[in-house]
Amino acid sequence: MNHAAHDPASLELSPEQMRTMGQTVVERAVAHLAALDRAPSNGDFTDIEALCRALREDAPEDGAPLESLLDPLFEEWIPRSFGTPGPGYFAYIPGGGVYPAALADFIADTANRYTGIWQAAPALVQLEANTLDWLRDWMQFPETARGLYTPGGSMAMFNAIAAAREDRLGHNIRAGTLYVSTQSHHCITKAARLAGVAHDRVRQVAVDGRFRMRVDVLKAAVAEDRAAGLRPFMVFSTAGTTNTGAVDPLEAVADLCAREGLWHHVDGAYGAFFHMVPELRPLLAGLPRADSLTLDPHKGLFMPYGTGALLVRDGEKLRALHSSEAGYLPDNQSEFYDPAQYGPDLSRGFPGLRVWLTLKLFGTARYRAALAEKRALAVWAANEVAKIPGVVMDAAPQLSLFAFHLESPRLDTLEAQNAATRALMARVTARGRVMVTGAQVGERYLGRVCVLSFRSRRAQVEACVEDIAAEAAALLAEAGG
Ligand SMILES: *Cc1c(COP(=O)(O)O)cnc(C)c1O
């Protein structure tokens, strides 16, 4: 059906057509969500390369009916993915995808107002500013803090490094050194290079037995660089690492950074939102002292992918990096938050509406309850998994992620243990109820479970424990006892 057959130059649809198309899409999307419970936790990747090759196509000259496009999308392509939205997704760091956020995107995309500069849609930009202030308050940052929505944590790191570099190094960037731990997310090193800090200026600080950055090693590395004439300027600690969920000693790192005049960034892409829950704040002690903080609303705030965020304690430093003027733009104003003054984008989507509509609809109390529940479920699951014969718990949950490996008298080499642990993760996932992934951490391959999908409830966590127990027993039996 060509909706504009009567007028080939028009891309407009009638209200009736728009309504029908909208209903069709909502029906499909809701049916998809309603079936997630029954869908396998991981997609079917059989012959996926052949499928992708077959999908290559030229731009269509003529239009096609909507239904004919939605059929393969929902029936063939969407299912052949990691089961990220499903309740049994405990792999990597789970994402979100709360429904109201999709409705907010629909409104943002149909209204299509310009939120890059304050003057173009002042009230809408104010809604986004409100949500950034909510993030600030939940993280107990001061009034001076300003934030920025980014596509994800990676670009939040990039903006943080660029702001710190500008503030601390000025034009002399080659001498600047930056510190991460061996457990830090790889996107920081990548962001550093994008921000002009080459790999040979990034130091990997060793961790302790609980995978937390060693502040004594950090201190020594900073001293060594200073002695070599370099200019240490920035330290990244992590509030919940991707490998094991470790929370670095944030207070001690903050103390060191204060003494040494270093910019302290906390990577809270996975863990920061647990700070919304007052009872859990002690787990993240020191987080509010950071000079800047990465948050990923598409993880801990259960937003759809594409929602990252950065907070900078002294918002003027973020503004100093990004603020600019042009003859074709209105003059900058300083009373109201203005996205283009605090971030690299000019034309952009309207990420603040996702957060605003969802939080207004659900209320913050439900978020706190959901986050507290995810942590409680992880603590419960870790206790159960630790009881499984052959399991050695390497990292009990500091937040909602734990890591472990398999051992037995017959699995007596590191290689055998690594292979068994790797097989355990694959076989648990192959059962179809839950999806889990492991990680190579130094010499060891660790199995891991991360509870952060808002759809994961007690039933799926129990299924996860059961399937780990069953496959661990099978693997140990195959290894010969
Ligand atoms: C997810 C994650 C990142 C990367 O964030 P993206 O949103 O994927 O770009 C960085 N650090 C940690 C700890 C993470 O969990």
Side-chain angles (χ1 to χ4, degrees):
M1 166 180 55
N2 187 341
H3 292 297
H6 58 290
D7 179 357
S10 170
L11 299 173
E12 191 55 284
L13 301 169
S14 74
E16 199 41 46
Q17 287 171 321
M18 287 190 272
R19 240 173 245 121
T20 306
M21 290 169 76
Q23 278 157 6
T24 302
V25 169
V26 168
E27 279 307 321
R28 295 277 187 137
V30 171
H32 177 73
L33 294 181
L36 283 178
D37 257 357
R38 282 163 279 128
S41 279
N42 193 14
D44 179 359
F45 290 90
T46 317
D47 293 333
I48 196 71
E49 292 88 357
L51 173 72
C52 292
R53 282 181 208 112
L55 278 175
R56 291 172 185 152
E57 60 184 355
D58 295 331
E61 186 59 20
D62 297 306
L66 180 61
E67 297 274 3
S68 74
L69 305 175
L70 297 182
D71 284 345
L73 196 55
F74 278 94
E75 286 157 28
E76 291 172 47
W77 305 331
I78 291 174
R80 293 178 141 212
S81 324
F82 293 173
T84 45
Y89 190 78
F90 301 113
Y92 306 102
I93 307 289
V98 283
Y99 187 71
L103 299 181
D105 279 8
F106 181 77
I107 296 167
D109 293 354
T110 47
N112 200 35
R113 292 307 200 268
Y114 195 85
T115 60
I117 56 170
W118 177 82
Q119 286 86 352
L124 299 181
V125 172
Q126 185 59 46
L127 298 184
E128 180 160 305
N130 291 353
T131 66
L132 290 167
D133 287 350
W134 300 344
L135 301 184
R136 174 198 72 195
D137 293 345
W138 294 331
M139 301 302 138
Q140 296 184 303
F141 266 48
E143 293 275 319
T144 54
R146 290 290 176 275
L148 170 70
Y149 283 111
T150 60
S154 304
M155 287 309 284
M157 310 291 182
F158 167 71
N159 280 281
I161 298 169
R165 188 206 69 200
E166 188 83 356
D167 183 58
R168 300 299 160 95
L169 301 177
H171 292 166
N172 179 13
I173 67 178
R174 181 62 187 138
T177 52
L178 177 157
Y179 304 80
V180 300
S181 91
T182 57
Q183 296 298 302
S184 293
H185 198 280
H186 76 279
C187 77
I188 299 170
T189 307
K190 180 170 162 180
R193 181 151 65 183
L194 294 178
V197 181
H199 284 183
D200 67 349
R201 293 296 189 253
V202 177
R203 307 287 179 252
Q204 308 254 344
V205 176
V207 294
D208 66 15
R210 294 176 65 195
F211 308 102
R212 299 173 306 183
M213 181 185 268
R214 279 185 52 187
V215 182
D216 58 327
V217 177
L218 170 63
K219 189 175 170 204
V222 168
E224 190 182 320
D225 283 330
R226 283 205 208 284
L230 296 170
R231 296 176 65 194
F233 76 103
M234 188 177 199
V235 177
F236 276 79
S237 56
T238 306
T241 62
T242 312
N243 282 342
T244 66
V247 178
D248 286 331
L250 306 178
E251 292 278 18
V253 176
D255 288 342
L256 179 80
C257 288
R259 277 199 306 275
E260 298 276 345
L262 304 173
W263 181 299
H264 181 204
H265 182 93
V266 173
D267 174 6
Y270 154 53
F273 283 105
F274 288 101
H275 205 266
M276 284 176 78
V277 187
E279 318 78 276
L280 301 182
R281 281 185 187 165
L283 301 172
L284 297 163
L287 178 143
R289 292 175 61 195
D291 291 300
S292 52
L293 173 69
T294 293
L295 310 97
D296 252 350
H298 60 210
K299 292 174 181 165
L301 215 50
F302 315 128
M303 291 292 140
Y305 289 121
T307 327
L310 170 69
L311 283 179
V312 177
R313 169 174 225 85
D314 178 353
E316 282 308 308
K317 292 184 174 163
L318 188 59
R319 188 181 175 120
L321 174 68
H322 291 296
S323 193
S324 43
E325 291 177 333
Y328 41 79
L329 290 178
D331 289 342
N332 292 337
Q333 51 76 42
S334 57
E335 178 179 354
F336 300 104
Y337 178 75
D338 202 340
Q341 300 301 318
Y342 289 93
D345 298 320
L346 185 57
S347 300
R348 62 199 274 278
F350 183 15
L353 194 66
R354 296 171 162 191
V355 179
W356 183 84
L357 189 76
T358 305
L359 265 295
K360 291 289 279 187
L361 189 89
F362 283 142
T364 311
R366 278 173 81 171
Y367 262 88
R368 286 196 300 268
L371 285 158
E373 184 199 54
K374 302 318 155 202
R375 162 149 166 97
L377 288 171
V379 170
W380 178 83
N383 277 326
E384 295 304 306
V385 169
K387 291 181 207 158
I388 296 170
V391 165
V392 176
M393 189 60 61
D394 296 274
Q398 294 190 33
L399 298 168
S400 70
L401 193 176
F402 58 94
F404 54 94
H405 72 272
L406 273 184
E407 244 178 72
S408 82
R410 292 295 183 88
L411 297 172
D412 54 0
T413 64
L414 182 65
E415 291 67 41
Q417 292 166 6
N418 285 351
T421 307
R422 193 183 285 275
L424 177 64
M425 292 293 102
R427 285 164 62 156
V428 167
T429 299
R431 288 182 157 230
R433 298 203 293 176
V434 303
M435 179 170 171
V436 285
T437 48
Q440 186 73 37
V441 181
E443 299 276 273
R444 259 202 195 287
Y445 189 85
L446 299 182
R448 50 195 289 300
V449 171
C450 183
V451 186
L452 198 67
S453 166
F454 70 97
R455 294 195 171 98
S456 297
R457 309 302 301 274
R458 176 80 182 207
Q460 290 82 29
V461 174
E462 283 177 3
C464 184
V465 171
E466 277 169 28
D467 289 355
I468 291 173
E471 292 298 340
L475 277 158
L476 294 193
E478 287 164 30

